[in-house]
Amino acid sequence: MKKIKIIVKITLLSIGCLATIFFITFLIRKLRVESDSKNIYSTNFVVNYYGILESEAEDISIALELNYDRIRTELKDPKHDKISVFIYPNQSDFNKAIGLMNSNASGTSRGPLEFHLKYETWYNSIFPQKMEKVAVHEFTHCVQLNILIQDALSKSQNEKVADFDKNFETGFEKNYPQWFWEAICDYEAGIVNNLSVKYGMKNSPTLKELNNSNQIYNVGYTIVEYFVSKYGKEKLPEFIKSYGNFEKVIGVTEMQFEIEWQKFVKEKY
């Protein structure tokens, strides 16, 4: 009985120590974060932030600039104007800003020239994401949209701006594959985890299923990884502009690609 009491006391003491460390760390961070909105101006981005450390915003700015030329070159992105980045310290502020009150997302793009991030730390998420990679992921969404919009503009018949915007948005939502929309971003950002891949592939999901499944965030990297290993990076820009047309771009059906991709993942992961 004494042993049990000692174990209980030690456990409670440990919990108390952890709670104290958590509170002190939280308080120190609260005192150091930027309470007012601030901007970091770099060559290709304007990072607007508050409620996080200046160093955290700087790390994101640096990561974006380091990946800017590489991603745009790989995907053959046309001329791209400066991109605005907005970073929020919590889910509530992020959701208010993007107008989706029930969202649990950590990032979203708003056209080719703007994206938003919810900053995650070790105390507001069990498994916080690497925010520099999340930023690069969202930047890649902006690149995809710029490619698609500029390609559509080159083919438009002098439509009014309102008509073009409406037609593009309708066509994009209907025809652009959601699985590729996310997969190419994870690939360019280097977001992949072996355990997550194994979990996501348990039921051998099809690409169509991944259009409506959060498992795309577990396995998306591997789809583009296989595509590149088999057909080369040079096919990615064409695949984007074709809205994911397998037969047109690489000469196989979606089902054939799916089978070979699943085989690739089983062998590698």
Side-chain angles (χ1 to χ4, degrees):
M1 195 69 178
K2 277 187 177 182
K3 285 184 179 180
I4 294 175
K5 287 182 178 180
I6 291 171
I7 291 171
V8 170
K9 284 182 179 180
I10 292 173
T11 302
L12 291 174
L13 185 62
S14 299
I15 293 171
C17 288
L18 287 172
T20 302
I21 292 170
F22 173 87
F23 177 76
I24 292 171
T25 305
F26 178 84
L27 186 60
I28 291 172
R29 178 182 172 84
K30 204 74 174 172
L31 294 171
R32 292 178 59 216
V33 298
E34 301 292 343
S35 56
D36 297 325
S37 181
K38 291 196 172 183
N39 294 313
I40 297 175
Y41 295 90
S42 62
T43 305
N44 300 294
F45 300 88
V46 179
V47 176
N48 177 284
Y49 69 98
Y50 68 91
I52 68 171
L53 302 178
E54 181 180 5
S55 61
E56 292 168 339
E58 287 175 343
D59 287 344
I60 286 175
S61 178
I62 290 168
L64 288 169
E65 287 293 350
L66 286 174
N67 286 279
Y68 184 82
D69 287 337
R70 174 185 64 81
I71 293 173
R72 290 193 60 239
T73 299
E74 288 180 1
L75 302 183
K76 294 186 179 179
D77 183 26
K79 183 180 182 298
H80 210 131
D81 292 333
K82 187 168 282 196
I83 297 171
S84 296
V85 183
F86 298 89
I87 308 175
Y88 309 92
N90 54 60
Q91 194 73 60
S92 176
D93 286 5
F94 173 85
N95 288 356
K96 286 177 185 176
I98 65 172
L100 297 173
M101 301 313 295
N102 296 318
S103 171
N104 61 358
S106 57
T108 185
S109 60
R110 284 291 186 265
L113 302 179
E114 178 184 323
F115 69 86
H116 299 248
L117 297 173
K118 178 204 74 177
Y119 199 91
E120 289 188 356
T121 64
W122 66 269
Y123 64 78
N124 67 19
S125 177
I126 298 175
F127 300 109
Q129 302 182 67
K130 186 74 172 172
M131 292 311 300
E132 293 91 334
K133 290 189 174 185
V134 177
V136 173
H137 173 107
E138 296 303 330
F139 162 57
T140 308
H141 280 316
C142 292
V143 170
Q144 286 183 84
L145 283 172
N146 194 50
I147 292 169
L148 293 169
I149 289 170
Q150 295 305 320
D151 185 58
L153 281 170
S154 71
K155 298 171 182 175
S156 67
Q157 303 296 318
N158 297 317
E159 294 174 278
K160 293 179 181 178
V161 173
D163 291 337
F164 174 84
D165 290 347
K166 181 181 179 181
N167 291 336
F168 176 81
E169 187 174 340
T170 300
F172 175 81
E173 290 181 355
K174 181 180 179 182
N175 300 315
Y176 200 74
Q178 183 68 21
W179 65 262
F180 186 70
W181 171 245
E182 299 295 347
I184 185 67
C185 293
D186 274 2
Y187 178 78
E188 294 294 354
I191 299 175
V192 63
N193 177 285
N194 284 25
L195 290 177
S196 295
V197 171
K198 288 177 181 177
Y199 175 76
M201 294 298 291
K202 275 197 309 183
N203 298 316
S204 299
T206 65
L207 298 180
K208 279 189 173 66
E209 288 171 344
L210 289 172
N211 276 329
N212 302 293
S213 169
N214 283 335
Q215 294 304 334
I216 188 59
Y217 299 107
N218 288 326
V219 306
Y221 177 97
T222 68
I223 303 173
V224 182
E225 180 187 26
Y226 169 67
F227 184 105
V228 168
S229 69
K230 178 75 173 179
Y231 303 102
K233 279 185 180 179
E234 63 274 10
K235 291 289 186 181
L236 288 175
E238 189 182 351
F239 197 69
I240 291 173
K241 289 195 285 190
S242 75
Y243 279 59
N245 190 320
F246 285 101
E247 295 191 41
K248 179 181 177 181
V249 178
I250 58 176
V252 300
T253 66
E254 183 174 311
M255 185 177 291
Q256 287 172 319
F257 178 88
E258 223 168 61
I259 292 169
E260 291 303 313
W261 158 61
Q262 292 175 349
K263 181 181 177 183
F264 169 84
V265 174
K266 285 178 182 177
E267 290 175 353
K268 182 168 181 180
Y269 293 91

